[in-house]
Amino acid sequence: MPGNNSHPDEYQPLRRRIVRGARFSEGTHRAGGVIPWHTHDDPTLCFVLRGRFSEYSRGHVADCHPSSLKFMPAGERHWNSFHVSDVHGFMAELELAALGADGEMGRALQRQAQFVAGPEVAIARRLYSEFQSNDTVAPLAMEGLLLELVVQLARTGSRQRVGDCPSWALQARDIIHAHVTDPLSIAAIAKLVGVHPATLARGFRRAFGCSIGDMQRRLRLEHALLELADGEQPLAQVAQRAGFYDQSHFTNLFRRTYGITPARYRRALVSD
């Protein structure tokens, strides 16, 4: 949502509210707008209410759609493209010291994350409901929910901290990132990092919160999103270059993940 370098004609603030631990805002971005490279001085949470946009950071792209929740650490450089539609969102700028989360918990909140379901999204939805309430209990309710959400985020971040990951899990992750479009097997990766395949499968999920297959699919979809945004090659070629077996498999997974087909996504880009 609004960044340090956002243009006033692209963002329309609707409502703001300050409670202990966070500054909350609700607003809309017009379709076709772009927020160029920027950072935030504080960690931010963005809950998408309507519309969808893309966020680019460190070579990755996140598709932010209704009911998705995005966490961005302080100082993380990124830019946003509102290329599909107008976006209505709810944002919180966190004050970790006021939340008592500037120590060990704060160190666990150093990785960006996105959630499309689960307890984080449920808490964000309740936070927005309290944000809309005008009764005198709402600020206290919001503070409690915010603390609950920060604890949940810290737990997720703790599972992903480098110090908590076996070296072989980090090596496996690096192999997957380096060979996004190549066919990989758990047995082959396990051999490269020197552990049993069952140990790799269990340990990888424990370290990163997803399976090896889930991570590779996500990275391939991100690769495809960049291809769709930057080129005009046929969809079959996009699927092949991203490492998918065929266009049908690519299209079905893309639609299940983002709620739109690759063809419609590309048309939305072209129409801006």
Side-chain angles (χ1 to χ4, degrees):
M1 301 314 296
N4 291 357
N5 297 321
S6 62
H7 300 297
D9 61 331
E10 293 176 351
Y11 178 70
Q12 178 63 47
L14 300 176
R15 188 177 183 185
R16 300 182 187 276
R17 193 167 192 168
I18 297 176
V19 302
R20 183 176 180 274
R23 300 179 301 278
F24 292 94
S25 59
E26 178 183 6
T28 60
H29 280 276
R30 294 190 312 195
V34 171
I35 302 177
W37 286 105
H38 64 285
T39 62
H40 297 278
D41 294 333
D42 297 304
T44 59
L45 288 163
C46 175
F47 185 54
V48 184
L49 301 169
R50 287 194 299 274
R52 63 195 309 140
F53 67 98
S54 292
E55 180 169 271
Y56 300 82
S57 61
R58 293 189 297 180
H60 296 291
V61 57
D63 179 72
C64 304
H65 50 82
S67 293
S68 66
L69 175 69
K70 178 178 64 65
F71 173 73
M72 180 65 68
E76 188 77 29
R77 198 163 175 265
H78 59 285
W79 68 279
N80 307 99
S81 175
F82 302 89
H83 51 268
V84 176
S85 62
D86 290 351
V87 174
H88 181 195
F90 175 51
M91 180 174 174
E93 300 169 276
L94 307 181
E95 299 174 1
L96 295 184
L99 292 168
D102 53 345
E104 181 67 22
M105 186 182 294
R107 286 189 287 276
L109 295 170
Q110 295 177 353
R111 295 177 64 93
Q112 56 181 298
Q114 184 179 16
F115 307 91
V116 297
E120 297 87 358
V121 172
I123 297 170
R125 189 173 289 113
R126 290 165 60 197
L127 252 177
Y128 178 64
S129 177
E130 292 292 346
F131 174 81
Q132 293 179 297
S133 176
N134 291 319
D135 64 42
T136 57
V137 180
L140 182 61
M142 290 181 68
E143 182 182 347
L145 289 167
L146 182 62
L147 285 167
E148 187 178 346
L149 181 53
V150 168
V151 168
Q152 188 67 39
L153 291 169
R155 283 174 174 162
T156 301
S158 294
R159 289 196 299 267
Q160 297 175 338
R161 287 179 58 196
V162 170
D164 294 337
C165 296
S167 59
W168 50 261
L170 297 173
Q171 293 172 28
R173 182 197 61 184
D174 292 343
I175 290 170
I176 296 168
H177 278 259
H179 300 276
V180 172
T181 62
D182 298 332
L184 297 172
S185 69
I186 292 179
I189 298 173
K191 184 176 181 180
L192 288 172
V193 302
V195 298
H196 190 277
T199 300
L200 174 62
R202 290 194 301 269
F204 193 93
R205 182 181 291 277
R206 188 180 307 116
F208 302 109
C210 66
S211 70
I212 289 175
D214 290 338
M215 179 174 284
Q216 187 178 56
R217 289 188 195 96
R218 177 177 60 79
L219 292 172
R220 287 182 173 182
L221 286 172
E222 291 177 355
H223 185 281
L225 282 169
L226 292 172
E227 293 274 335
L228 291 169
D230 296 337
E232 298 180 355
Q233 62 267 39
L235 292 179
Q237 186 176 343
V238 171
Q240 182 181 29
R241 286 167 59 90
F244 290 96
Y245 179 74
D246 56 28
Q247 182 180 339
S248 176
H249 178 219
F250 165 58
T251 298
N252 289 335
L253 183 60
F254 193 100
R255 183 174 55 240
R256 288 201 305 270
T257 303
Y258 300 125
I260 188 174
T261 65
R264 288 184 59 194
Y265 181 84
R266 170 176 279 170
R267 285 197 297 271
L269 294 177
V270 173
S271 65
D272 287 344

